[in-house]
Amino acid sequence: MIEVFVSYAGEDAAWARTLAGRFIAGGLTVFFDEWDILPGDVVPHRLDKAIRDSMACVAVVSPALFRSPRAMEEHAALMGRGIRFIPVLIGDAEPPAFTKGRVWRDFRGVEGDDYDEKVDELVDILARREPHREREGAARENLEAALPSPPRPLVPPEQDCFVLCHVGADHDYALRLVLQLRAAGLPVWWLGSLEPGDLQFWEIRRRLRHAIGVIVLMSPPSQDSDDITRMIIEGELHARPFVPVLLHGRRNYHLAHTWYIDARDGRPLGADELAILRRLYRAHTAGKPLDAGGLLPAPLASPPVRALRLPAASSLARLDGLLEAGDHRHADLLTTLILLEAADRLEEGWLAERDGAALPYELLGGIDALWAGHTHGRHGFRAQAALAEVRRGLDVEFMRQQLAYGWRESERAKMPRHYRDFAAWPAYTGFFPTLRNPQNEKFFDWYEQWATTVLAVHLKVRAWKECI
């Protein structure tokens, strides 16, 4: 068996040869074509066998790569095998599209001790001689490279952990927080835990699905990050408890309905805050997860800091991106947040009739156009209204809507309490947007809040339809 196949373009042979030599010195079994294709070998057959026998690939990515059809064919064949595929960037290469779903390593301009450290890390990962050693700077790489998850089951990780979500600008605080939590005996996973070759967003999604809690570092750069938005919505989808930490500016508008820790002075977590995390950890380990909001002691009540309100155009652009990717459940949750934000009801998490009446027609039309445009008219407010229209905002109308939209099988059927179970039902014409808010599920009157929100929005939709 070959432990690592080194793939490269001919112009990068000298750099790749040095790397392959270091791998061999580290005890790895390496395929390097200059050494392993012998006179008399049928080259395509030899390469094909090496690709089939390889357990991992390190692919040298440089501008020369795209001038080498052979190297590109090797990359395609190796990625198609589903093995660990580690792109390493050299020269002045920019990350190509095929690297953006995987964790890569940046060797551009690296030399001396830094080069040795990076090579040693790759050897350890490929040889599996010891657990992965996190690198302090690793979380800075690939931060904005998340792509929709590939169609693979989200298998449970070896250990459930707190998942820390942050952007590169907040790396230093994130690192200090990781060290603090681990010193306190709390397991934490962050972007620095990613290994070279990991399918980045798939790994993030499975960690979030099984997270003890989701710690989000809130700051203006975090608010602007589409990756952080996806992580928050993924955590909401699986009803994970959130522990937001405010570092700068105002709260993330996705988490306006959630308690938070104020660390704008750069302080570490206090004893009381660590106690909350320990209670979450113990409850999760015992199989009885708790909601973080219900654990907040009175002395930790956060001072009033308004959530950031994004322009409607920015919110709709994010919704467009999710729908373009076919990510309907995340788009559904974002739609609810956009409407709450427009009505200045993020803090409350639901809409009354008067709030729905204040929604701009342009915003409703923009949301509806995106849903309809990306689903060939199957989803959206007008598609729903064609099945069951609201006229007076009565509870009986909401029941009729649920039956028409497929949200409930019958009047006697029990409604799933958690959004993750509700949205797992097979969708059909008119299912989305649902306007359910997972952050309200911890409240006993969540159903009434949902009903009021749906009726309020659809009363406004009816008025909007009469105007167009």
Side-chain angles (χ1 to χ4, degrees), residues 171-422:
H171 173 271
D172 292 342
Y173 186 92
L175 176 60
R176 294 199 305 271
L177 183 56
V178 167
L179 297 176
Q180 181 188 16
L181 295 182
R182 289 181 178 165
L186 296 169
V188 59
W189 186 94
W190 68 316
L191 293 176
S193 305
L194 287 165
E195 295 186 359
D198 279 349
L199 289 167
Q200 182 179 353
F201 200 59
W202 177 86
E203 184 65 30
I204 293 171
R205 283 191 65 205
R206 79 172 182 134
R207 292 289 178 171
L208 288 168
R209 179 172 185 171
H210 299 279
I212 298 168
V214 183
I215 302 171
V216 181
L217 300 188
M218 298 188 296
S219 66
S222 172
Q223 177 74 71
D224 294 336
S225 168
D226 287 338
D227 285 350
I228 296 298
T229 295
R230 282 183 178 272
M231 292 178 197
I232 292 172
I233 295 177
E234 184 74 20
E236 290 181 336
L237 179 63
H238 298 296
R240 298 297 87 190
F242 280 87
V243 184
V245 180
L246 180 61
L247 298 184
H248 311 287
R250 290 180 287 175
R251 282 181 292 165
N252 188 300
Y253 81 108
H254 292 283
L255 299 171
H257 196 39
T258 306
W259 72 275
Y260 66 97
I261 296 170
D262 191 349
R264 285 175 291 174
D265 57 359
R267 66 178 180 85
L269 299 193
D272 290 338
E273 293 154 345
L274 287 173
I276 292 175
L277 298 183
R278 288 194 184 95
R279 288 189 62 192
L280 283 171
Y281 175 54
R282 288 196 296 267
H284 184 90
T285 303
K288 299 178 180 179
L290 299 174
D291 179 83
L295 296 174
L296 185 61
L300 286 179
S302 304
V305 177
R306 300 288 294 179
L308 178 67
R309 297 191 65 189
L310 290 184
S314 300
S315 300
L316 291 176
R318 288 186 174 180
L319 178 61
D320 187 33
L322 291 172
L323 289 169
E324 177 68 28
D327 197 345
H328 289 174
R329 291 195 295 180
H330 285 179
D332 184 41
L333 297 177
L334 181 57
T335 297
T336 304
L337 289 171
I338 290 171
L339 293 175
L340 291 172
E341 179 188 34
D344 199 18
R345 292 280 290 182
L346 284 167
E347 305 281 347
E348 294 77 11
W350 59 281
L351 299 176
E353 184 174 331
R354 64 179 178 276
D355 303 313
L359 292 171
Y361 288 143
E362 295 81 3
L363 181 61
L364 288 175
I367 291 172
D368 182 71
L370 289 174
W371 275 103
H374 286 289
T375 63
H376 306 288
R378 290 175 296 171
H379 300 291
F381 295 130
R382 285 182 294 178
Q384 290 176 335
L387 296 172
E389 190 171 48
V390 172
R391 295 185 177 276
R392 290 183 291 173
L394 302 178
D395 289 344
V396 66
E397 292 179 305
F398 182 55
M399 178 60 72
R400 187 164 63 246
Q401 284 181 299
Q402 293 179 72
L403 296 172
Y405 303 166
W407 296 346
R408 188 190 291 265
E409 294 178 342
S410 70
E411 291 189 23
R412 295 185 177 182
K414 185 177 180 181
M415 176 60 62
R417 174 66 181 265
H418 296 297
Y419 180 86
R420 66 177 183 271
D421 302 321
F422 169 70

Side-chain angles (χ1 to χ4, degrees), residues 2 4 24 30-39 41 46 50:
I2 297 169
V4 57
I24 291 174
V30 177
F31 179 86
F32 188 73
D33 59 0
E34 283 187 3
W35 304 331
D36 294 294
I37 297 180
L38 304 176
D41 283 346
R46 183 70 183 93

Side-chain angles (χ1 to χ4, degrees), residues 108-175:
R108 293 172 293 188
V110 173
E111 55 187 22
D113 292 343
D114 290 339
Y115 175 86
D116 292 339
E117 180 186 352
K118 283 178 175 282
V119 172
D120 289 344
E121 179 203 19
L122 292 180
V123 171
D124 289 341
I125 293 298
L126 293 166
R128 293 293 179 188
R129 297 195 186 102
E130 60 181 78
H132 172 52
R133 295 179 301 173
E134 294 179 352
R135 290 173 49 241
E136 292 187 5
R140 296 184 185 273
E141 300 177 15
N142 303 83
L143 277 169
E144 302 301 329
L147 292 178
S149 174
R152 294 177 57 189
L154 297 177
V155 297
E158 298 76 17
Q159 180 186 24
D160 292 350
C161 300
F162 287 96
V163 175
L164 174 61
C165 304
H166 71 97
V167 294
D170 301 325
H171 173 271
D172 292 342
Y173 186 92
L175 176 60

